[in-house]
Amino acid sequence: MAKGKSNQSINNSHRVTTSGDIEVSTYLEIAKEIAGVQPTPSKEAIPEAKRESIVVIDFGSQYSMLIARRVREFQVYCELVPHDTPWEKIAPLNPKGFILSGGPGSVYEPDAPLAPAYIYESHLPILGICYGMQVLTKQLGGRVALGAKHEYGHAILHLGEADSPLLADLPPSTPVWMSHGDKIEEMPPGFTTLAYTENSPTAIMGNDRGIFGLQFHPEVAHTPEGKTILKNFVYRICGCQGNWTIGNFIDESISRIREQVGKGKVISALSGGVDSSVVSTLIHRAIDDQLTCIFVNHGLLRREEAERTLNVFRLNLGMNIIYADASERFLNRLKGITDPEMKRKIIGGEFIAVFEEEANRIGKIDFLAQGTLYPDVIESAASGSKASVKIKTHHNVGGLPAKMTLQLLEPLRYLFKDEVRQVGLALGLLEEMVWRQPFPGPGLAIRIIGEVTQEKIEILRGADWIVMNEIKKAKLYRQLWQSFAVLTDVKSVGVMGDFRTYGYLVAIRAVTSEDAMTADWARLPYDLLARISNRIVNEVPGVNRVVYDITSKPPSTIEWE
Ligand code: XMP
């Protein structure tokens, strides 16, 4: 929410992730909790000043991040910053224009968040969206009032008489997505109406100094021509060239990493997940053997996972990898443990212990590489005052083992997930690796209900292998956020041939999701479910019943523990 946001700087944030693909770094957070230390803030440079950018001033709309995503789709670098970010943080980005996001507030409330003065003093183009338009109106001398009715959902936008480069290539009428209660009662001096809807006489306003307001949301898919409007703003109004490409990003990152690291030594925790794989490959490309990856196998990985990861990174990419097979050690520590949070704590603590032991053998190390992504950075900048109830301990990442006074190296901290995937592909990683579904740090331990034993791990691996293969064969793997098997602690009676069986109940979980905060159960075809079920009861000893989980999140969570 815009109001009450922390003043924490955008470059000095601690990572709080909203996505599921958290992997290894989860454990580092647990270390932070245990030690009560803060990590050394990342010295990762903000993108070079010569790069053009668009800066989105965030007033707390749920769509703010989407605006930044859209702008980057036009190959223009874009950052989202809290509305109270000082100019010193913005200047190095070399902004070519500002976008003021929507937000839940109302500009006539006493503490309404407004745009900082530099937005106007810079004389750069400005695009206000919804609440952002109302902010512009208020600050530039117009009047905003409560609308007669709240306008939510589809509306038809009609272009007015006046022409503007912002409207280039738009049809005379087009659907737009509205979500507002307030309306522009009087435009600021110098502005004219460029388009209207039935309920909003001023749905687009603009002046001849490159300042525009939109009453609707151009960034959402429900506004089909929204991309055209944003693109017009970015190219025709702000004059951007479009030089933000993955190739440029990789080249710049490599020189930045070299500059930052010098002759220093870097370690990374490699898990085989997308983020840790891409971050390690990128750093390896920059500094070669100055990077050592530590791959801790906690014995709770999927079938063939450890071997595959080692093959790719050690044999194919020739990276320096320390492989620590600590499976037995983890299993011993998990003996008799049934509580999910306890499992997480034990696995997290043990992971740190193994990681540190291995790192100590290397000698002096200067940097710890982390796969922090931009949504985590944004979220942490905005989360200062958010009070939330802890459902599971996994949503925080980014601490450092207490005794390691390492600097963080986070070359992906300005990228969205799909950009990370593109970087991975451009670096030559296999599609299979780059498109891997998220896998939780504690691995199969939180998909085995109750105590974790070697026997149960094997059963679950067998079932999980079948689920993954069948989903891939059905070409559904990429469409699903996650798909996996869960081994419950329920046993039930069955019949096989002429014999009674008493075996485990396996549940299949498959969900679609944007960010793991919410998820919907996937409507998998019955035939596919039948194949999975048949194969599991026939091929995995000890299982005689399979069920499909048809709950969404909320009220459930994606993982069962
Ligand atoms: P839930 O179960 O909370 O999961 O809906 C949301 C996403 O987070 C992943 N997850 C974890 N990731 N450590 C992780 O690194 C964990 O302890 C953990 N628990 C859940 C989960 O797979 C899903 O993508």
Side-chain angles (χ1 to χ4, degrees):
M1 308 284 275
K3 272 179 254 172
K5 236 178 211 180
S6 92
N7 285 330
Q8 202 177 14
S9 102
I10 49 170
N11 298 317
N12 188 24
S13 50
H14 304 129
R15 287 129 295 277
V16 179
T17 187
T18 52
S19 81
D21 204 357
I22 303 164
E23 308 158 340
V24 162
S25 30
T26 307
Y27 303 120
L28 303 178
E29 170 61 21
I30 294 170
K32 186 179 91 180
E33 268 180 27
I34 295 167
V37 293
Q38 295 293 336
T40 315
S42 170
K43 297 274 193 312
E44 195 58 39
I46 20 184
E48 287 172 14
K50 69 176 189 310
R51 184 188 297 132
E52 58 185 21
S53 75
I54 297 291
V55 173
V56 180
I57 305 291
D58 184 16
F59 290 106
S61 156
Q62 51 180 323
Y63 305 127
S64 297
M65 215 186 306
L66 209 49
I67 305 173
R69 274 300 304 118
R70 291 277 172 268
V71 173
R72 288 197 193 178
E73 279 165 19
F74 311 136
Q75 306 207 309
V76 171
Y77 186 71
C78 184
E79 277 200 23
L80 177 68
V81 301
H83 67 87
D84 51 4
T85 304
W87 172 246
E88 299 74 62
K89 302 268 182 213
I90 306 283
L93 294 172
N94 192 23
K96 294 277 184 232
F98 292 101
I99 298 180
L100 310 185
S101 85
S106 184
V107 287
Y108 52 73
E109 280 170 3
D111 291 333
L114 296 173
Y118 60 74
I119 302 279
Y120 304 106
E121 288 163 4
S122 70
H123 297 295
L124 290 169
I126 308 172
L127 178 69
I129 295 175
C130 199
Y131 179 82
M133 178 195 204
Q134 291 151 17
V135 166
L136 282 179
T137 304
K138 175 167 177 177
Q139 290 185 297
L140 296 177
R143 227 176 43 241
V144 179
L146 189 63
K149 49 180 172 175
H150 190 100
E151 201 180 4
Y152 185 81
H154 279 288
I156 300 295
L157 181 81
H158 304 284
L159 299 191
E161 303 279 289
D163 201 14
S164 163
L166 188 77
L167 310 178
D169 303 327
L170 284 188
S173 300
T174 180
V176 293
W177 182 260
M178 292 284 190
S179 173
H180 65 107
D182 293 350
K183 66 168 191 186
I184 308 302
E185 193 152 271
E186 189 185 314
M187 284 183 286
F191 279 76
T192 45
T193 293
L194 299 175
Y196 58 93
T197 66
E198 194 184 327
N199 286 321
S200 296
T202 302
I204 303 184
M205 67 176 191
N207 70 4
D208 56 10
R209 294 187 39 207
I211 304 183
F212 298 92
L214 309 179
Q215 189 58 84
F216 54 90
H217 287 271
E219 68 276 27
V220 302
H222 309 297
T223 303
E225 292 293 342
K227 281 187 184 182
T228 312
I229 298 173
L230 288 172
K231 195 170 183 179
N232 286 339
F233 178 71
V234 167
Y235 281 102
R236 294 175 192 261
I237 311 284
C238 300
C240 291
Q241 305 291 315
N243 57 12
W244 164 249
T245 63
I246 291 301
N248 287 349
F249 169 82
I250 293 176
D251 292 345
E252 278 178 23
S253 298
I254 287 178
S255 16
R256 244 189 346 257
I257 292 166
R258 285 185 183 147
E259 198 177 304
Q260 194 182 348
V261 171
K263 293 197 179 325
K265 280 198 165 169
V266 183
I267 50 167
S268 80
L270 182 69
S271 70
V274 184
D275 304 343
S276 76
S277 300
V278 174
V279 88
S280 301
T281 312
L282 182 62
I283 295 174
H284 178 250
R285 183 70 69 88
I287 56 165
D288 216 329
D289 276 355
Q290 283 167 263
L291 168 73
T292 305
C293 303
I294 300 178
F295 176 25
V296 177
N297 183 354
H298 51 22
L300 300 159
L301 298 173
R302 293 174 145 170
R303 187 183 281 178
E304 293 183 6
E305 196 88 52
E307 297 81 352
R308 269 213 308 268
T309 306
L310 273 183
N311 277 345
V312 169
F313 291 97
R314 191 182 267 170
L315 300 183
N316 299 4
L317 297 176
M319 284 162 57
N320 215 347
I321 300 197
I322 295 178
Y323 174 57
D325 185 355
S327 314
E328 250 176 65
R329 178 166 165 176
F330 279 84
L331 202 58
N332 283 337
R333 292 280 284 112
L334 287 170
K335 238 180 219 144
I337 307 296
T338 54
D339 176 64
E341 286 302 285
M342 202 59 193
K343 285 183 187 174
R344 281 193 169 81
K345 278 221 155 64
I346 290 173
I347 296 170
E350 210 55 29
F351 183 94
I352 288 296
V354 177
F355 187 82
E356 272 198 288
E357 283 165 25
E358 297 300 333
N360 285 340
R361 282 192 243 265
I362 303 175
K364 187 176 173 312
I365 303 161
D366 309 281
F367 295 88
L368 174 73
Q370 286 210 338
T372 311
L373 303 195
Y374 197 42
D376 310 337
V377 175
I378 294 174
E379 177 72 10
S380 59
S383 67
S385 63
K386 271 188 201 163
S388 57
V389 179
K390 199 177 255 187
I391 309 292
K392 299 178 186 179
T393 44
H394 64 84
H395 282 305
N396 295 327
V397 294
L400 270 182
K403 284 166 267 169
M404 290 187 184
T405 47
L406 302 179
Q407 294 181 65
L408 292 182
L409 189 61
E410 302 174 300
L412 309 181
R413 70 183 267 118
Y414 291 98
L415 295 192
F416 289 103
K417 187 85 178 184
D418 53 334
E419 293 169 333
V420 171
R421 292 202 164 101
Q422 289 174 44
V423 171
L425 289 173
L427 288 171
L429 291 178
L430 295 176
E431 291 228 352
E432 175 194 304
M433 181 147 260
V434 164
W435 283 100
R436 221 188 73 142
Q437 290 176 353
F439 186 68
L444 300 181
I446 54 167
R447 294 179 182 170
I448 292 173
I449 312 304
E451 188 186 0
V452 178
T453 63
Q454 190 59 45
E455 184 213 359
K456 287 183 181 171
I457 293 175
E458 286 312 322
I459 293 177
L460 182 55
R461 276 197 183 130
D464 181 72
W465 180 256
I466 291 169
V467 175
M468 188 156 72
N469 281 301
E470 288 298 334
I471 296 272
K472 280 187 176 170
K473 261 202 273 175
K475 304 222 177 319
L476 290 173
Y477 185 78
R478 276 200 205 174
Q479 291 169 39
L480 298 172
W481 174 266
Q482 279 170 298
S483 44
F484 54 87
V486 175
L487 181 61
T488 72
D489 58 355
V490 171
K491 280 189 154 186
S492 70
V493 175
V495 55
M496 266 183 143
D498 292 333
F499 296 98
R500 173 190 192 271
T501 60
Y502 189 58
Y504 280 112
L505 172 73
V506 160
I508 309 301
R509 183 82 164 133
V511 296
T512 54
S513 174
E514 289 280 308
D515 53 10
M517 298 298 279
T518 60
D520 197 8
W521 63 276
R523 275 47 169 185
L524 294 184
Y526 282 174
D527 287 353
L528 172 62
L529 287 170
R531 259 196 316 278
I532 292 175
S533 164
N534 272 340
R535 283 194 59 191
I536 291 178
V537 288
N538 281 301
E539 296 174 33
V540 184
V543 179
N544 68 355
R545 196 177 291 269
V546 176
V547 295
Y548 187 47
D549 181 348
I550 54 165
T551 34
S552 293
K553 172 183 180 175
S556 289
T557 52
I558 296 175
E559 304 289 348
W560 274 37
E561 285 201 335

